Each structure stands twice: as C-alpha cells, then as structure tokens.
C-alpha cells in the first residue's frame, strides 16, 4: 500500500468510522475486510450469508468483522418501511421495498442513510449503475449539488512538482452541461482540499486558452467558470485553459499572465467524459502516477465504486479514501 493511503489510514483511525462492504461473499472483499480489521483503521461490515462466506474463504480471520445477511436481518422491516416512505411518491409499494432491501446494494445504502454505517464501498461484482441507483434514490445529492461526478486522485512522490493531482469527471456524466460542470468544479475543489497536500487551484480545461479558439465546447467551459465564480468569487479557478497553460508556469505566464491558476493548477475539470477518462488512463499508464478512483463526489454521504477488476488491496485503499470523506467535518 502506498504512503498516501497509509497516511489516510492514520488520519481516520482515531474517529472509528464504520464502512460497509455489500459484496461480502466475494473473495476479494472478504480478504480486504480481513486486512482492514487487522489494521483497525475503520470498523468494517460485510453483507452476505455467513455459511457462504466461510465456504469461500475458510481460512479468513473475520473475528473482528461484522457480518450481516440482509435477507434475515432484524432491520429488514425498518429499512423496508423507510424506503417505502422515501419512494412511495414514485409508485414504490411496501412489498417492492421489502424485496429491494434484501438486495445487498440497497441494504448497504440504507445502512449509510440511517447512520448504521458512515460510508459504503461496492462495485467489485456490480456495475456502477447498480451502486449509484440506490445511492441517488435514497441518500441523494449534497445540498445545492445536482450533478454527481467521479474524480481520480493521482500521486507520484518521486516528482519534484505536481506530486498530487485531481481529475474530474472521469467516471459518471458523459456530456455535462454548464451547470453540471460548475457542480463538478465546486465538488472537486472541496475534494482537493480534503485529499491534496497543496492548496487546490482549479483549471477548466479545453483545447483553447482564453479565446484562442471558438467552439460551443470552449464556450461551455467559459460559462461554467463564470457560474462557479458567481457562487464562490474567491475560489481559485480559471478557464478555459489548455493543459500546458494550466500546469507549465512559463506557458501560463505567456498565455494568461493575470490568471490566479495558470501554470500552477492541480485540479483539472474536463469538458466531457471522453476527455476525462482518456486523460486519466494516459496519466496512470504513461505518467508514472498511482491512480485512485473514480471516487464519487456530490452524494450527501460517502458511497464509492470499485472497478470490477480491482484487487483486494484496491478495496482497502478505497475504504481508506471513503473514511476520509466520512471524516470531512472532523478534520
């Protein structure tokens, strides 16, 4: 595990946060839960049938792991009633609610909603939509935020500059509107304040810098920047900026000498999911950075997705990041 993740573990350990892993019958999740319990930086809950879990990983030491079977839980009726109240206006019946909360993804989200857990990490064997659907139906977005997005956290401690960066949106919204881009930028600034060592400076990226090209996608970044500054006039944000103008001091000074961000950005908001997703993979594979994500932001309580190709070590890392989000107001 990297020094970065180890640092997050040390920061969250005193707070005793509880993280639920809904895919508790998956061997990688079982191994991750065992490792987390041994380290003790959070309290961990896995969802599943104890018999199945022990059959799949008979040697796992789960003495300090709480195991809950949603299908037989004594919270089933309580959670079903709450889900019914939350969704009855959408046509959900109590019978449907009861069946839904037997599903581990819905049950896990209900635990976070009710405070039985401080955060949830899933997606090792489920699609992103299977995780985000119950999260958005039940927990919903943060106040004032309409767009949930996914950011990647990058770390390379061998570099002398830009050791850490944050990219968004890399995993959720394919073609964000101006308003959604503003939400992504605002949430990314908040995430960067939590996770990055340096103060965040947000670049709204484009193939144009300060009017060097005209195009609707360029104008979208200009308008999103203006919208952010209407709401938060003191936020260090600028756009539209090309990537070199955003990170290279000499280029930033040449192209936009009065910018508070150009040449020193460490938070990058992309115009669409194509650009964000392609760029994060290039940065990870060719840039020598550790990459963590996509981490969800904009949800009222921490719920994070995993790659279905994740390792058990990846799960441990995302749990540490999720615990950091759960501790946001306590640092």
């Amino acid at each position: 595990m990297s020094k970065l993740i180890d640092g997050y573990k040390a920061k969250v350990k005193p707070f005793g946060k509880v993280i639920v892993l809904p895919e508790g019958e998956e061997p990688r999740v079982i191994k991750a839960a065992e490792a987390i319990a041994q380290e003790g930086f959070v309290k961990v809950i896995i969802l599943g049938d104890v018999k199945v879990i022990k059959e799949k990983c008979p040697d796992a030491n789960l003495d300090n792991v709480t195991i809950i079977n949603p299908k037989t839980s004594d919270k089933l009726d309580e959670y079903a009633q709450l889900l019914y109240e939350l969704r009855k206006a959408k046509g959900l019946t109590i019978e449907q609610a009861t069946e839904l909360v037997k599903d581990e993804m819905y049950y896990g989200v209900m635990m976070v909603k009710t405070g039985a857990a401080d955060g949830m990490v899933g997606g090792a064997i489920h699609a992103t939509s299977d995780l985000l659907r119950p999260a958005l139906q039940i927990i919903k977005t943060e106040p004032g935020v309409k767009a949930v997005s996914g950011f990647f956290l990058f770390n390379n401690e061998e570099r002398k500059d830009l050791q850490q960066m944050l990219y968004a949106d890399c995993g959720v919204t394919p073609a964000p509107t101006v308003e959604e881009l503003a939400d992504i930028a605002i949430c990314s600034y908040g995430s960067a304040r939590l996770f990055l060592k340096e103060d965040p400076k947000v670049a709204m990226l484009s193939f144009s810098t300060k009017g060097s090209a005209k195009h609707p996608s360029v104008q979208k970044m200009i308008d999103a920047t203006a919208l952010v500054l209407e709401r938060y006039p003191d936020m260090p944000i600028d756009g539209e900026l090309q990537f070199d103008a955003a990170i290279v001091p000499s280029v930033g000074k040449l192209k936009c000498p009065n910018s508070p961000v150009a040449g020193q950005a460490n938070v990058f908001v992309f115009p669409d999911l194509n650009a964000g997703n392609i760029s994060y993979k290039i940065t990870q594979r060719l840039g020598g950075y550790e990459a963590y994500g996509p981490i969800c932001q904009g949800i009222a309580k921490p719920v994070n997705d995993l790659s279905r190709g994740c390792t058990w070590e990846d799960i441990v890392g995302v749990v540490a990041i999720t615990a950091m989000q759960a501790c946001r107001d306590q640092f």
Side-chain angles (χ1 to χ4, degrees):
M1 201 63 66
S2 76
K3 291 181 180 179
L4 183 72
I5 296 299
D6 287 342
Y8 293 160
K9 291 176 183 177
K11 288 186 75 172
V12 303
K13 189 171 183 176
F15 299 101
K17 295 298 181 181
V18 179
I19 305 298
V20 59
L21 305 177
E23 298 156 321
E25 296 176 3
E26 162 59 37
R28 290 168 296 166
V29 173
I30 298 168
K31 176 61 178 175
E34 179 183 24
I36 292 165
Q38 288 174 351
E39 292 190 61
F41 64 92
V42 297
K43 298 174 184 177
V44 65
I45 297 170
I46 61 175
L47 304 184
D49 186 310
V50 173
K51 183 179 178 181
V52 173
I53 291 167
K54 289 184 176 179
E55 285 175 353
K56 288 191 174 182
C57 296
D59 297 327
N61 179 2
L62 300 177
D63 290 346
N64 295 317
V65 176
T66 300
I67 303 173
I68 297 173
N69 186 343
K71 294 179 175 61
T72 59
S73 167
D74 57 6
K75 293 284 187 180
L76 197 62
D77 291 341
E78 176 188 334
Y79 286 175
Q81 186 62 39
L82 177 55
L83 180 58
Y84 168 68
E85 294 296 332
L86 290 170
R87 302 290 296 171
K88 64 183 179 182
K90 300 291 185 180
L92 187 73
T93 66
I94 187 64
E95 291 80 13
Q96 291 170 329
T98 300
E99 288 305 308
L100 279 175
V101 295
K102 291 177 183 177
D103 177 87
E104 61 269 25
M105 303 301 275
Y106 272 86
Y107 190 96
V109 169
M110 292 302 298
M111 292 188 71
V112 178
K113 174 69 174 179
T114 60
D118 298 296
M120 181 176 109
V121 174
I125 54 174
H126 285 81
T128 298
S129 58
D130 293 330
L131 177 133
L132 287 181
R133 186 182 304 109
L136 293 176
Q137 288 176 350
I138 296 165
I139 300 174
K140 306 185 186 300
T141 57
E142 292 182 41
V145 174
K146 295 180 180 178
V148 171
S149 54
F151 70 86
F152 266 83
L153 180 65
F154 292 95
N155 185 61
N156 184 340
E157 294 171 9
E158 296 181 1
R159 289 186 62 106
K160 294 181 180 179
D161 62 338
L162 272 181
Q163 289 186 346
Q164 293 185 327
M165 301 183 292
L166 189 150
Y167 286 9
D169 176 11
C170 300
V172 179
T173 306
T177 64
V178 168
E179 292 76 13
E180 289 170 335
L181 282 165
D183 275 352
I184 292 167
I186 292 165
C187 289
S188 296
Y189 177 76
S191 294
R193 289 187 66 186
L194 180 65
F195 287 108
L196 300 187
K197 297 175 184 176
E198 304 294 334
D199 291 337
K201 296 182 185 296
V202 183
M204 305 294 281
L205 296 179
S206 175
F207 63 86
S208 168
T209 297
K210 297 299 181 181
S212 64
K214 303 291 184 184
H215 189 271
S217 66
V218 174
Q219 190 61 46
K220 186 168 68 168
M221 303 309 284
I222 296 170
D223 293 344
T225 305
L227 186 56
V228 172
L229 288 172
E230 283 180 18
R231 295 168 63 182
Y232 297 95
D234 297 327
M235 183 181 292
I237 183 172
D238 202 5
E240 86 290 14
L241 296 174
Q242 291 163 291
F243 193 75
D244 59 348
I247 68 163
V248 181
S250 59
V251 177
K253 185 175 181 180
L254 176 67
K255 291 189 174 184
C256 31
N258 298 319
S259 171
V261 167
Q264 49 189 328
N266 54 3
V267 179
F268 303 95
V269 176
F270 293 85
D272 58 36
L273 193 56
N274 267 323
N277 193 274
I278 291 168
S279 296
Y280 103 69
K281 291 180 185 293
I282 292 172
T283 302
Q284 179 184 18
R285 300 299 179 182
L286 300 183
Y289 283 87
E290 302 166 5
Y292 301 94
I295 306 301
C296 295
Q297 57 184 2
I299 303 174
K301 293 185 177 183
V303 174
N304 281 315
D305 192 20
L306 296 163
S307 164
R308 276 175 280 183
C310 66
T311 64
W312 71 264
E313 293 96 339
D314 294 330
I315 298 170
V316 174
V318 176
V319 167
I321 289 170
T322 304
M324 284 283 289
Q325 291 177 311
C327 290
R328 180 189 299 270
D329 296 333
Q330 295 167 284
F331 291 143

